Amino acid sequence: MPTPLSLPDKFNFAAHVLEVNAHRSGKTAYIDDIGSLTYGELNKRIHRFAAALRAIGLRREERVLLLMQDTQDWPVAFLGCLYCGVVPVAVNTLLTAQDYAFMLVDSRAQVALVSGSLLPVLKEAMQLAGKNHEVHATVVSRPTGPLEEIEQDMSTLLFAHATETTAATTFAHEIAFWLYSSGSTGQPKGTVHTHGSLWWTAELYGKQILALREDDVLFSAAKLFFAYGLGNALTFPLLAGATVVLFPGRATPSEVFRLWGAYGVTVFFGAPTGYAGILAAPDLPAQAAVRLRMCSSAGEALPREIGEKFKHQLGCDIIDGIGSTEMLHVFLSNRPGDVSYGTTGRPVPGYELKLTGEDGRDVAAGEIGDLYIKGPTAALMYWGQREKSRTTFQGEWTKSGDKYSVDESGCYVYAGRSDDMLKVSGIYVSPFEVEGTLMQHPSVLESAVVGHEDADGLTKAKAFVVLKSGASATADELRAFVKERLAPYKYPRVIEFVADLPKTATGKIQRFKLRGL
């Protein structure tokens, strides 16, 4: 086993998970809508699935498309791939057939692993890709109907193979899996990660910041195919020996409350949009009805108003942090017992951060700059996109695409995405600052601020606002509300009320879709 903060050259993450939990064979690892899976059963299924993949004819380093809902089969499939040296390409389950056609061709996947409910859209994607895709076998989790010749039932396949196999000899720096970026600024990119990166995120964030325990019950609203969800519901809990609740459907507030109560969830992982919905829900449970000891937020910076209100309502802090697909998980975060709402906290141990200006030099204290990260979990590259890789992965440093400043206490304060920043009257304005102020108004549920050219061609702030159900407010009222709280040049000149905001499946607002509207 690796010593603390050290990994041997030869390292297979799936084999490490099995070794760490060898003494927990009777403990529940996963619970889903079908039943539960113990650590002992997880061990056997990983071995069986690795053997099945080898029997299908997959070779080391070949790619497998993983298009599956959050059920027990997801961790079995993902870890089974890693165990035998095959590379799973985990993809978003909420995309279109056209998106999957692109990913099939881009990844050159040889096999597709798919949930039965998603098989129709996968078939459509394969038709769209035509002869350009290379899939020769499809493994179906929980099929909903008869299967065709190249399709195999995952359950049948699992139990047709032995429970004892040998892990592939892989290296800590070897390609282990891909995640496609969420596409908040356009077309997703295949982000390539190593076996070692999984271990590092668990060691640096899961253990040192979250301090997860064996008796914890975790539920992540973010799905396993996201970098955030992968850490929350697989990497961190499996190395802590905890129990994970999986839910394949949409994590609406009502479903979240049901799962909290039914399974005694102690740690919940969500995103700012989800927390806003939870607080606005009429059936929000009382503190005494839940067992939460800690909540986590990522995806976008958490507005101060949401964090403070959640703590007041449920007596539980939200540990806000920021991560990225490129860095695999959170690298900048608040800490339990040391939460400063309105900031993203301080660097996670093991990561180094810097803020630079347009000239590439470090900015002065309190000034806004582009955020760069140095740490052991940086992706190797964007697959097949050399120029974008070179722009993002700059030697030891990774460009985040976010802008931040550092306050007097040393906490980092989010100022928006680099391509979202506005320059009003020659001064940078953070859309996030204006959005956070708007959300302090009792009638506002969500807001998004983008640049808008006035009649003179000058850039001013324009706000898209979603009101709470049954609430009312006028544009003049909201403009005045912001003016009272921010510098005069920052208030949104134009306010448009909308029913909802365009978002990625992680809850990130897609501001690029609002520009020009």
Side-chain angles (χ1 to χ4, degrees):
M1 289 177 62
T3 57
L5 300 181
S6 174
L7 275 177
D9 287 340
K10 292 181 180 180
F11 180 76
N12 183 299
F13 181 77
H16 178 64
V17 166
L18 300 186
E19 182 182 355
V20 166
N21 294 295
H23 65 291
R24 297 190 178 101
S25 63
K27 177 145 192 309
T28 300
Y30 285 101
I31 302 169
D32 67 9
D33 54 340
I34 298 297
S36 61
L37 185 72
T38 66
Y39 275 96
E41 291 165 337
L42 177 64
N43 185 318
K44 291 178 181 178
R45 291 189 187 187
I46 289 170
H47 279 276
R48 289 181 184 275
F49 197 65
L53 292 175
R54 287 168 176 159
I56 288 173
L58 279 169
R59 297 171 297 178
R60 284 283 303 276
E61 301 180 14
E62 288 187 322
R63 267 86 66 191
V64 170
L65 190 82
L66 201 166
L67 174 60
M68 294 171 63
Q69 305 283 6
D70 276 24
T71 69
Q72 299 170 20
D73 284 347
W74 205 105
V76 170
F78 183 82
L79 293 169
C81 287
L82 266 58
Y83 192 82
C84 68
V86 171
V87 179
V89 179
V91 300
N92 189 330
T93 60
L94 304 174
L95 303 179
T96 66
Q98 191 67 53
D99 293 319
Y100 298 133
F102 163 76
M103 292 172 177
L104 284 169
V105 175
D106 185 54
S107 68
R108 301 175 196 151
Q110 300 297 302
V111 170
L113 312 178
V114 62
S115 291
S117 59
L118 297 170
L119 184 56
V121 72
L122 175 66
K123 287 183 176 181
E124 184 182 350
M126 292 168 74
Q127 289 179 341
L128 289 171
K131 294 182 179 179
N132 294 318
H133 82 78
E134 300 178 26
V135 173
H136 59 79
T138 302
V139 178
V140 185
S141 165
R142 302 182 183 180
T144 58
L147 300 179
E148 297 181 4
E149 187 176 347
I150 71 163
E151 299 164 357
Q152 301 184 59
D153 184 332
M154 180 172 174
S155 180
T156 303
L157 194 64
L158 270 176
F159 293 99
H161 291 86
T163 59
E164 292 299 328
T165 56
T166 303
T169 302
T170 55
F171 292 83
H173 59 267
E174 183 175 326
I175 294 174
F177 64 101
W178 297 14
L179 298 173
Y180 273 93
S181 63
S182 60
S184 59
T185 57
Q187 188 180 64
K189 301 175 286 292
T191 311
V192 180
H193 279 287
T194 67
H195 281 266
S197 289
L198 291 163
W199 183 85
W200 280 109
T201 58
E203 186 67 32
L204 299 177
Y205 187 69
K207 291 184 180 180
Q208 297 194 40
I209 300 298
L210 298 181
L212 297 177
R213 308 190 304 239
E214 187 173 0
D215 63 348
D216 275 323
V217 179
L218 286 67
F219 172 57
S220 174
K223 301 301 184 184
L224 280 159
F225 55 75
F226 293 121
Y228 181 47
L230 180 63
N232 304 341
L234 189 147
T235 316
F236 303 165
L238 292 189
L239 292 191
T243 297
V244 182
V245 177
L246 295 178
F247 180 64
R250 182 168 167 261
T252 62
S254 292
E255 289 291 358
V256 169
F257 302 154
R258 179 182 68 82
L259 295 170
W260 284 356
Y263 300 108
V265 171
T266 60
V267 182
F268 173 69
F269 299 88
T273 299
Y275 285 112
I278 285 171
L279 290 171
D283 53 343
L284 178 68
Q287 286 188 32
V290 299
R291 292 185 56 212
L292 294 174
R293 71 172 185 86
M294 180 171 61
C295 290
S296 165
S297 179
E300 283 196 314
L302 182 77
R304 179 192 300 271
E305 177 78 4
I306 291 177
E308 292 176 345
K309 187 175 179 182
F310 190 91
K311 176 64 180 290
H312 175 73
Q313 296 278 36
L314 289 168
C316 175
D317 270 320
I318 300 176
I319 310 303
D320 183 34
I322 185 174
S324 66
T325 305
E326 290 76 10
M327 295 302 296
L328 190 54
H329 212 275
V330 172
F331 50 79
L332 172 64
S333 182
N334 282 274
R335 289 152 168 75
D338 182 20
V339 175
S340 178
Y341 288 120
T343 80
T344 318
R346 298 177 174 83
V348 170
Y351 293 92
E352 185 178 339
L353 275 59
K354 68 178 180 180
L355 300 177
T356 67
E358 293 179 355
D359 59 1
R361 297 180 180 179
D362 292 351
V363 300
E367 291 186 0
I368 293 173
D370 291 307
L371 178 67
Y372 286 78
I373 313 103
K374 182 197 294 186
T377 62
L380 296 176
M381 61 179 161
Y382 296 130
W383 179 262
Q385 299 195 45
R386 180 172 171 78
E387 287 306 312
K388 290 183 179 178
S389 294
R390 294 177 68 180
T391 299
T392 299
F393 306 107
Q394 302 178 11
E396 293 184 299
W397 294 93
T398 298
K399 183 177 183 180
S400 71
D402 295 297
K403 284 187 179 287
Y404 268 87
S405 63
V406 180
D407 68 14
E408 319 78 53
S409 69
C411 288
Y412 282 68
V413 180
Y414 184 63
R417 291 288 297 174
S418 297
D419 49 6
D420 290 332
M421 290 294 290
L422 312 179
K423 211 166 192 178
V424 178
S425 302
I427 307 173
Y428 274 118
V429 174
S430 162
F432 185 75
E433 182 183 19
V434 182
E435 292 165 5
T437 303
L438 282 165
M439 289 182 65
Q440 293 174 27
H441 191 283
S443 294
V444 175
L445 177 64
E446 293 183 294
S447 67
V449 173
V450 299
H452 171 76
E453 285 194 0
D454 64 14
D456 298 318
L458 300 174
T459 298
K460 299 294 186 292
K462 176 179 180 179
F464 293 83
V465 172
V466 179
L467 295 177
K468 294 177 181 176
S469 178
S472 63
T474 65
D476 286 341
E477 178 185 345
L478 294 182
R479 276 192 287 266
F481 184 82
V482 175
K483 278 185 179 181
E484 290 173 1
R485 290 160 175 79
L486 297 179
Y489 66 89
K490 294 183 179 182
Y491 84 92
R493 268 55 167 189
V494 180
I495 293 180
E496 183 174 329
F497 295 98
V498 293
D500 52 43
L501 298 172
K503 300 186 186 81
T504 67
T506 51
K508 293 180 183 178
I509 297 171
Q510 295 174 308
R511 291 175 182 81
F512 72 94
K513 290 186 177 180
L514 297 173
R515 298 188 190 108
L517 295 181

